[in-house]
Amino acid sequence: LGGLDRCIVLSSQAFTALIPLLILAGALAPAGDENAVAQSLIRKFGLSGDSADAVTQLFTVPAGGSSGGVGLFSAFLLLFSGVSFTRRLQRMYRAAWDQETAGVRSGLFAALGLVVLIVEVLVAYGARSLFRQFPPDWLWALPVTFVTGLVLWTSIPYLLLNRQVHWRRLLFAGATAAAGTTVFGVATTVYMPQVVTSSTEDCGLFGITISIIGALLAAAGVLVASAVVGVEFDASLDPWIWRLKIRFQLYDPEEGPPAAQPRERRG
């Protein structure tokens, strides 16, 4: 796969989609909530002082300004960069599963994948926000994050692979990605405040972008690694893996269960 190159491409493409998304969210926020995106980032990463001020300055849309033009331009840029991001994801998954490109149809599934990705991310965010109201919030957040991640990172590869790989075969990779992103989400709340504070002190506003790109690079590493693990799991016929496939039906029902690998004779 060329893992490092894939991670760099995915993280850079995700960054070009994330920034217009955040600006668009701020531009479409109700009057008086122009700094909603900035406040969400500040709460998420526990920022304070200069780093919190820098995030507010970067992501707050001026009230009564040209929010309409900003919103329209951000929506166009989000659409263009978002489809480009899902196309990069698609190429990664197709390379992992050793599939050829499918021309126009592949592009249509990439656009559909973007829509599903945004919808599922919004649903996941809403679900986590709902369960945070029930203390202790971290006890609810972890399983909810894992379950929503499992749905997200099973359905997205299924679409991006043009539905040519049965979703049951993608479940293990989805579970791996869900576990990795859950751990990553917890880790960001621990190390991101220090990283953002240090980068802001050294580089000002540019330090925030450096921190975001670094986090996206780590997240891309989780996705690439989970794709590789999922493919190797699907291809393996080791006895313990074979038993897992049979028990949880992690195979294409039309093709039937995989044949067990014959045991080697001893002596």
Side-chain angles (χ1 to χ4, degrees), residues 2 9 26 37 54 73 83 106 123 137 144 165 175 192 196 198 245 250 253:
V9 170
V37 172
F73 177 76
V83 172
S106 180
V123 171
D137 56 351
V144 170
V165 179
M192 279 298 286
V196 174
S198 177
K245 292 179 182 179
L250 303 178

Side-chain angles (χ1 to χ4, degrees), residues 4-259:
L4 181 59
D5 292 339
R6 294 280 181 181
C7 292
I8 293 175
V9 170
L10 285 175
S11 60
S12 60
Q13 196 65 56
F15 179 78
T16 61
L18 178 64
I19 296 303
L21 175 63
L22 296 178
I23 295 176
L24 180 63
L28 298 180
D33 292 333
E34 291 82 6
N35 62 344
V37 172
Q39 292 302 319
S40 296
L41 293 175
I42 291 172
R43 287 194 302 269
K44 167 65 178 176
F45 300 125
L47 304 178
S48 60
D50 294 339
S51 58
D53 294 338
V55 170
T56 302
Q57 182 180 353
L58 184 61
F59 291 108
T60 298
V61 177
S66 57
S67 58
V70 171
L72 182 61
F73 177 76
S74 297
F76 174 78
L77 186 59
L78 173 62
L79 177 63
F80 180 80
S81 58
V83 172
S84 297
F85 171 68
T86 53
R87 288 299 296 265
R88 297 299 187 277
L89 268 180
Q90 187 178 52
R91 292 175 184 175
M92 186 266 290
Y93 285 121
R94 297 189 75 87
W97 288 89
D98 196 22
Q99 290 190 358
E100 298 179 357
T101 58
V104 176
R105 185 184 179 190
S106 180
L108 294 177
F109 274 105
L112 179 59
L114 174 63
V115 175
V116 174
L117 176 63
I118 294 176
V119 171
E120 291 188 358
V121 167
L122 292 177
V123 171
Y125 179 80
R128 288 194 294 266
S129 300
L130 176 63
F131 281 97
R132 286 194 188 101
Q133 301 177 8
F134 304 97
D137 56 351
W138 62 269
L139 185 62
W140 297 98
L142 292 180
V144 170
T145 301
F146 175 80
V147 171
T148 54
L150 176 61
V151 174
L152 175 65
W153 297 116
T154 301
S155 59
I156 292 299
Y158 176 67
L159 288 174
L160 296 183
L161 290 170
N162 296 4
R163 301 184 300 176
Q164 295 178 358
V165 179
H166 198 276
W167 63 268
R168 289 182 181 272
R169 298 174 60 189
L170 299 168
L171 272 174
F172 189 82
T176 304
T181 52
T182 300
V183 173
F184 176 75
V186 175
T188 55
T189 61
V190 176
Y191 76 83
M192 279 298 286
Q194 299 177 354
V195 171
V196 174
T197 299
S198 177
S199 299
T200 303
E201 291 177 353
D202 295 339
C203 306
L205 292 177
F206 186 65
I208 300 176
T209 62
I210 295 176
S211 303
I212 294 176
I213 291 176
L216 292 175
L217 182 61
V222 172
L223 296 181
V224 173
S226 64
V228 173
V229 169
V231 171
E232 293 298 324
F233 177 88
D234 183 76
S236 177
L237 290 177
D238 288 346
W240 69 275
I241 294 181
W242 180 83
R243 287 192 293 268
L244 282 177
K245 292 179 182 179
I246 298 300
R247 181 176 181 180
F248 297 102
Q249 298 182 359
L250 303 178
Y251 53 84
D252 190 338
E254 295 183 358
E255 298 179 358

